[in-house]
Amino acid sequence: MSNLSSHVRWLCLVASLARGAEPGTSITPWPKEPPPAPAPSAEVLALGERVYRGACVNCHGEKGDGLGQEGKLSAVPPTDFTTGEYHFRSTPAGTLPLDVDVFHSIRRGMKPDAGMPAYVFLTDREVWAVVAYVKRFSPRWEKEPPGKRLELSP
């Protein structure tokens, strides 16, 4: 497992170094809130699909079912997007997450031994595009709204 994690981290480092910053792009530093999501469009979904195929498909699978080749080796199974159930969210159990929850999962990643790196080299627009794209895997997103954010008392 540690070989997979180090391999994924290495690929992310190489990709971030190889990619030049594009004019007009932004990357939200953690823990700040991201900018608003772009309006859904064919262009945004096409971008989301390209990024998903390049960065996500090996773990989450072609169908978003969590059955990608690398995901089968992960200590923590990748999210199965077809169910509409997400590991991390700010909404009650059993409800859909907020889009910003999915954004943060992609941007921040999971703890190192879980296998999912923080995709800090993607622009905010690319992360939002992936959020829009993965929502297409589950019909729940068309039938029900996300849950309401849980407020935690101090």
Side-chain angles (χ1 to χ4, degrees):
M1 175 57 218
S2 69
N3 285 342
L4 175 62
S5 294
S6 62
H7 180 68
V8 169
R9 282 193 296 272
W10 175 251
L11 288 174
C12 290
L13 175 63
V14 169
S16 65
L17 294 174
R19 175 194 175 142
E22 300 170 14
T25 60
S26 65
I27 297 176
T28 298
W30 179 65
K32 292 186 178 182
E33 287 299 309
S41 68
E43 176 193 356
V44 169
L45 288 173
L47 175 60
E49 181 178 11
R50 280 194 309 277
V51 174
Y52 181 87
R53 291 193 178 286
C56 312
V57 74
N58 288 336
C59 291
H60 293 281
E62 289 282 335
K63 298 176 184 175
D65 55 10
L67 298 176
Q69 291 296 329
E70 299 290 330
K72 295 174 186 174
L73 304 174
S74 181
V76 177
T79 298
D80 175 356
F81 299 123
T82 65
T83 66
E85 295 174 11
Y86 288 72
H87 298 302
F88 300 99
R89 64 190 177 287
S90 63
T91 58
T95 65
L96 290 170
L98 300 172
D99 287 358
V100 73
D101 295 334
V102 182
F103 182 100
H104 285 308
S105 292
I106 296 167
R107 173 65 78 221
R108 297 174 182 168
M110 307 299 157
K111 62 184 188 172
D113 60 343
M116 183 170 161
Y119 285 93
V120 295
F121 58 89
L122 296 176
T123 66
D124 292 335
R125 183 170 178 79
E126 289 169 327
V127 175
W128 279 125
V130 171
V131 171
Y133 182 73
V134 300
K135 288 169 59 175
R136 312 269 303 189
F137 288 122
S138 174
R140 286 185 65 192
W141 289 99
E142 293 181 18
K143 297 177 184 173
E144 59 188 274
K148 295 199 184 301
R149 182 183 300 268
L150 293 172
E151 297 299 327
L152 303 176
S153 58

